[in-house]
Amino acid sequence: MPVVHADMSGGQAIDLPGVRGRMERLEFASGIVLYRMEYEALDDCFVQVQNSFSEPWIGSALHLQGHSELAYPDGKTFTLTPDSALLMRVDPSGSRFHLFKGQLVRHVGVASTLAPLQARFDGQLPGRLALFTDNSFGDFQLGQSFSPSPRLRHLASNLFDNHAKGSTRLLKLEGIANLFLAEIIELFCEENPTKDRIVVWEDQSLSDIIAHIEHNLDGTLALSALANMAGLSENRLDQLFRQKFQLSCAEYVRNERMSTANRWLQSGELPVREVAKRVGYSHVSNFSRAYRARFGETPARTLRRATSRST
C-alpha cells in the first residue's frame, strides 16, 4: 500500500501522486489556521502529514463527505466521518490519513495555537479544554471524538461553496473558520444536561420509528405523524431523538435522507430526479439546495464523478 507524503505548509493546492484532488493550508493573522482537503483516492493509500506547529495548539477535524482513518504517531486511530468530529492536539510529526480506494474525502480542519486562542477567551479557556493545554510541547498526543451539529456541517459546507470564492475569498474563509472553531469548541465544552430516564416502551417506540423512517424516506415524515404512530406527544418524541442522537426528529430525518441520497448518487445507478423522489423531494431544486448545504456540492456533480469512475 503506497504512502503519499504531503507538505501542508505551502498554503496552496497540492497535487498528490495516487490521489486526485487538492489540499490547502491557510494561516491568518488572527492565529487561526484552516485546512481544506478535497480528493479521491485512486487506490488504498496513506497521506502522511508533518506537523507545522512549534508550540501547544488545539485543532479540529470534520469530514463533510467520505470517510478515512487518522492514525497518530503513538498508534491511536480515529475514524473520521460526517457523523464524527474530532478535537485534537498532536505535537509530534508522523500522523497520517488512511484513504480508501474510490472514496471522495471533503475535509475541514481549523486549528489555533493556545496563546491567541486564550486571549479570545479573556485569558481563561473553557474548563474541558484543559485536556489540551499541557504547557510542554513535544510528545503530547490527544484526540476526542464527538457528534457534530447540523450548524457545524453547514459551516463546513460553506468552506467549499460560493462563500469561499471571489475577491474577498480570504476574508470570508477566515470568518467561517472562526465560526467553525467556535462551534466545535462550544459543542465539545457543553455540559450534557442530566438525561431523563427512557422507559422500555418508549425505547421500543423510538426503535420502531427509526425503522419506519429508514424504510419510508419517500413518504411524509412529519413530527406530528411520527408522534401519533409512536403513541407519544410531539415534544416527547423530539426529546427522545435529541437525547439519543443529539438531533431533533426533523434533523434526524433530513440527515437520513441526505446520507441515503449520497449513497445512491455515488453508486451512479440512478438519475438525480429519481434519487430526489426516493428521499421524499418532489422538486429537484429543493433537493439540490438541501444536498449542497449538507455536502458542499450539487447532486449532479456527485453523480458525474460516480459515472466517470464506472466508464
Side-chain angles (χ1 to χ4, degrees), residues 64 82-83 153 157 255 258-259 289-296:
L64 183 63
D83 296 316
R153 293 195 190 101
S157 71
N255 185 62
M258 290 298 103
S259 297
R289 281 194 295 272
Y291 187 91
R292 183 168 183 168
R294 176 68 165 78
F295 295 107

Side-chain angles (χ1 to χ4, degrees), residues 51-58 89 91 113-116 135-137:
N51 180 28
S52 59
F53 293 104
S54 58
E55 58 183 292
W57 60 283
I58 294 176
R89 175 182 157 192
D91 293 352
T113 52
L114 290 181
N135 290 326
S136 60
F137 180 84

Side-chain angles (χ1 to χ4, degrees), residues 76-200:
K76 291 189 178 71
T77 301
F78 299 88
T79 299
L80 291 172
T81 73
D83 296 316
S84 181
L86 180 66
L87 201 64
M88 61 183 178
R89 175 182 157 192
V90 191
D91 293 352
S93 292
S95 295
R96 61 183 186 173
F97 285 98
H98 183 186
L99 305 182
F100 303 95
K101 183 177 180 179
Q103 273 287 309
L104 173 76
V105 174
R106 185 172 283 113
H107 169 91
V108 174
V110 179
S112 174
T113 52
L114 290 181
L117 186 63
Q118 194 163 5
R120 291 183 170 206
F121 284 94
D122 293 328
Q124 185 65 45
L125 289 171
R128 286 200 70 194
L129 287 189
L131 292 169
F132 300 88
T133 58
D134 189 312
N135 290 326
S136 60
F137 180 84
D139 296 326
F140 191 93
Q141 300 181 53
L142 180 64
Q144 294 281 315
S145 297
F146 59 97
S147 298
S149 65
R151 174 173 165 77
L152 190 67
R153 293 195 190 101
H154 180 69
L155 289 168
S157 71
N158 283 347
L159 291 167
F160 288 96
D161 66 13
N162 290 330
H163 292 276
K165 298 177 182 177
S167 60
T168 57
R169 169 178 173 268
L170 294 180
L171 186 62
K172 292 175 181 177
L173 286 175
E174 183 177 13
I176 300 169
N178 273 282
L179 289 172
F180 183 92
L181 186 60
E183 177 73 8
I184 209 166
I185 287 175
E186 189 170 57
L187 284 171
F188 179 76
C189 294
E190 188 178 61
E191 294 185 3
N192 292 325
T194 302
K195 294 185 176 181
D196 294 334
R197 180 174 175 267
I198 301 178
V199 297
V200 174

Side-chain angles (χ1 to χ4, degrees), residues 227-290:
N228 185 61
M229 185 183 303
L232 294 164
S233 69
E234 293 181 29
N235 286 341
R236 183 53 178 165
L237 181 60
D238 206 47
Q239 185 181 49
L240 292 178
F241 270 95
R242 292 179 185 278
Q243 210 166 306
K244 190 159 188 175
F245 302 106
Q246 292 77 54
L247 297 170
S248 69
C249 180
E251 288 167 346
Y252 180 88
V253 169
R254 185 163 53 249
N255 185 62
E256 287 299 297
R257 282 174 162 157
M258 290 298 103
S259 297
T260 300
N262 180 251
R263 289 195 296 272
W264 271 327
L265 289 167
Q266 292 205 56
S267 75
E269 297 174 359
L270 298 170
V272 172
R273 184 175 296 277
E274 180 62 23
V275 171
K277 180 181 177 181
R278 292 193 180 197
V279 295
Y281 286 83
S282 56
H283 298 288
V284 175
S285 58
N286 292 340
F287 169 66
S288 295
R289 281 194 295 272

